[in-house]
Amino acid sequence: MSTENEGNEGTAAEAVPSAPPVPADAPQGSPESTPASTPAPAYPQAPDAAAAQQSAQAQQPFPPTEEPATATTPMASVPGTPPPGLQSAAEANWPPPPPAVPAYAHHGADGGGAGPVWGAPAQLHSPEGPRKRGVGGLVAAVAAAALIAGGVGGALGYWAADRNDSSNGSTTVAASANPQDLKRDPGTVAGVAAKALPSVVTIDAQGGDGEGGTGTGFVYDKEGHILTNNHVVASAADSGQLTATFSNGKKYDAEVVGRAQGYDVAVLKLKNPPSGLAPLTLGNSDQVTVGDSTIAIGAPFGLSNTVTTGIISAKNRPVASGDGSGGSNSYMSALQTDASINPGNSGGPLLDARGAVIGINSAIQSTGSSVGQTQAGSIGLGFAIPINQAANVAQQLIKTGQPVYPVIGATVTMDERTGGAVISDQGAGGTAAVAKGGPAAEAGLKAGDVITKFNDTVIDSGPTLIGEIWTHKPGDRVTLTYKRDGKTATAEVTLGERKGDS
């Protein structure tokens, strides 16, 4: 698991002929003789006058399609595409050329097989010789005339449109420029983004040693507090420079109020906050469910004010993230989302469909970087700190400047393949693994016990247990299920507390 410590074409269409090709087996010979069979027409023969009229209409060029000036899904339609049901522009040679004359308008009445190309077809004769024109012949003549008239009309219409385009500059229908027509409904992604973006900032952290990077944060209250990730500001927390840039381009200096390394949460304060700050509304991450829509805002790879969408793809995902040194890991029971999150999104808000913050984007799962690359991108597995937990930490940091962690008073191994959280044989620096007088000791837990459940949540490793503990507060009473010598038992534990990151 890695966190993003922000450093920051189609084929050519075949040419459409101006007129259809003459069939290879076009009839030859004198007008008095007709072959036993004639080639099938390129278009169906109209059986009556009504069908002929429909066929004539089919030859008319399509009218221009007006694109509605409304919000669409992310896969927005591209203006100028052919009407629904047609091929792509590259495949269909859009816009259409002048309609072609149906192949059966040319039957080769003369001996050389060359008949009229654009006009009335040569009169057909029966093998028996001249005969009176009947109703059927009249219908056929009307049908042919109608089809050809439709073709001529279509060609003239296309020519007139082309002339109009040359003289006036365009024949497209422009959408209304009225600003009221461009408003988006509050429940749409565009509406949520428009409301939230002014309260999201891009954070630039430059340490005194030259190290630094870019991350994201958002307005927490009207006093100018900004909520973000600890790993975004850690390089400039002690000696360095922090700036926050709003979506309107205005930049403000900031300072660290407090940060919690274990939670990966930090609070900044704008030194000269502007008036009229609009804090983002905080949601309830406990009520989030798998499948809920999500919207992430941040500065991936330094691209400020980027909005991506997705869903909650999992809850209570145990995540241990860090900078790779092993000494600054953070643990969370995270919200998992498939919204695109990349280096630079860290610290930014994860919103629900109403625009309320349900998490702080903090980590991504990646396939690793290849040779020559120092960062990896999104593969659809992003993780956010639940806002209920982050808000509790923020309040602690604003009030006291230091975090408070709930604990069980026992050291567990960090091996992720133990089938539970194993209580170590000894603690850090040779101390007892189960602190004397601590919550675990009072509940009867011992070294070697394997904790398999925290309340109703299955525990498969030490990091998973820590992430679950840290979703609670000191003083909360929880139930631990554990195994000892092959037997399963439970214990009621009242969580203790630890102040600071030491």
Side-chain angles (χ1 to χ4, degrees):
M1 193 70 60
S2 63
T3 58
E4 62 282 16
N5 290 322
E6 285 69 18
N8 282 46
E9 140 168 93
T11 60
E14 295 182 4
V16 177
S18 59
V22 178
D25 55 351
Q28 306 290 330
S30 67
E32 273 68 41
S33 64
T34 301
S37 63
T38 59
Y43 299 92
Q45 180 87 23
D48 52 32
Q53 181 178 3
Q54 295 176 355
S55 179
Q57 293 172 347
Q59 301 299 314
Q60 301 297 330
F62 288 97
T65 302
E66 180 177 355
E67 293 293 335
T70 57
T72 63
T73 58
M75 293 298 293
S77 60
V78 179
T81 54
L86 295 184
Q87 295 173 311
S88 67
E91 296 170 335
N93 197 17
W94 188 262
V101 180
Y104 56 78
H106 172 30
H107 285 274
D110 60 358
V117 175
W118 190 264
Q123 185 176 356
L124 301 179
H125 298 277
S126 164
E128 290 82 7
R131 64 181 179 182
K132 293 182 179 180
R133 176 180 295 180
V135 176
L138 177 61
V139 171
V142 172
L147 285 169
I148 295 174
V152 172
L156 291 176
Y158 179 82
W159 175 82
D162 185 62
R163 292 275 296 177
N164 186 51
D165 181 68
S166 300
S167 60
N168 298 331
S170 176
T171 60
T172 59
V173 179
S176 173
N178 190 335
Q180 293 182 350
D181 295 336
L182 301 178
K183 289 183 179 179
R184 303 295 189 263
D185 292 335
T188 63
V189 173
V192 170
K195 184 178 180 180
L197 276 167
S199 300
V200 179
V201 299
T202 299
I203 298 173
D204 183 51
Q206 296 298 326
D209 56 359
E211 292 186 4
T214 301
T216 308
F218 60 91
V219 178
Y220 179 72
D221 58 26
K222 294 184 178 181
E223 285 68 43
H225 289 109
I226 304 295
L227 195 54
T228 186
N229 281 146
N230 171 67
H231 75 258
V232 170
V233 303
S235 62
D238 297 326
S239 62
Q241 183 178 8
L242 289 166
T243 59
T245 305
F246 284 80
S247 60
N248 60 7
K250 293 185 178 180
K251 184 179 295 187
Y252 299 86
D253 290 333
E255 59 186 356
V256 175
V257 171
R259 57 195 186 98
Q261 176 181 296
Y263 292 121
D264 198 16
V265 171
V267 175
L268 307 182
K269 178 83 162 52
L270 301 179
K271 293 183 178 180
N272 294 295
S275 60
L277 285 175
L280 290 182
T281 301
L282 303 185
N284 186 343
S285 53
D286 290 340
Q287 295 179 351
V288 171
T289 189
V290 173
D292 283 351
S293 297
T294 59
I295 301 170
I297 303 179
F301 298 104
L303 301 174
S304 300
N305 310 316
T306 295
V307 178
T308 56
T309 63
I311 62 169
I312 293 293
S313 48
K315 288 183 64 176
N316 304 317
R317 185 70 76 192
V319 174
S321 60
D323 59 4
S325 65
S328 58
N329 287 338
S330 60
Y331 303 92
M332 68 187 88
S333 183
L335 298 175
Q336 179 181 315
T337 181
D338 66 348
S340 182
I341 297 175
N342 287 285
N345 275 108
S346 277
L350 184 68
L351 310 174
D352 62 15
R354 302 170 303 160
V357 182
I358 54 175
I360 300 178
N361 300 317
S362 181
I364 61 172
Q365 178 72 50
S366 70
T367 57
S369 58
S370 59
V371 177
Q373 294 181 327
T374 58
Q375 293 178 325
S378 172
I379 58 171
L381 294 172
F383 305 96
I385 304 166
I387 194 59
N388 290 9
Q389 175 183 344
N392 288 334
V393 176
Q395 292 169 9
Q396 295 167 1
L397 295 176
I398 292 173
K399 184 178 180 179
T400 67
Q402 63 178 342
V404 177
Y405 298 93
V407 296
I408 62 171
T411 302
V412 295
T413 64
M414 293 293 104
D415 192 341
E416 297 185 1
R417 299 180 181 179
T418 55
V422 180
I423 298 180
S424 304
D425 293 332
Q426 63 180 16
T431 61
V434 179
K436 186 177 181 180
E442 291 184 357
L445 293 172
K446 299 179 179 180
D449 289 346
V450 181
I451 300 172
T452 58
K453 280 181 120 179
F454 182 92
N455 289 335
D456 294 328
T457 302
V458 174
I459 302 300
D460 59 4
S461 66
T464 302
L465 176 63
I466 296 173
E468 283 299 317
I469 293 173
W470 285 357
T471 62
H472 290 70
K473 298 179 182 178
D476 286 352
R477 192 167 181 82
V478 300
T479 301
L480 298 181
T481 302
Y482 64 96
K483 289 183 179 180
R484 179 187 298 168
D485 299 329
K487 296 180 180 180
T488 300
T490 60
E492 298 295 321
V493 176
T494 300
L495 299 177
E497 70 174 26
R498 187 195 81 203
K499 293 183 179 180
D501 279 312
S502 58

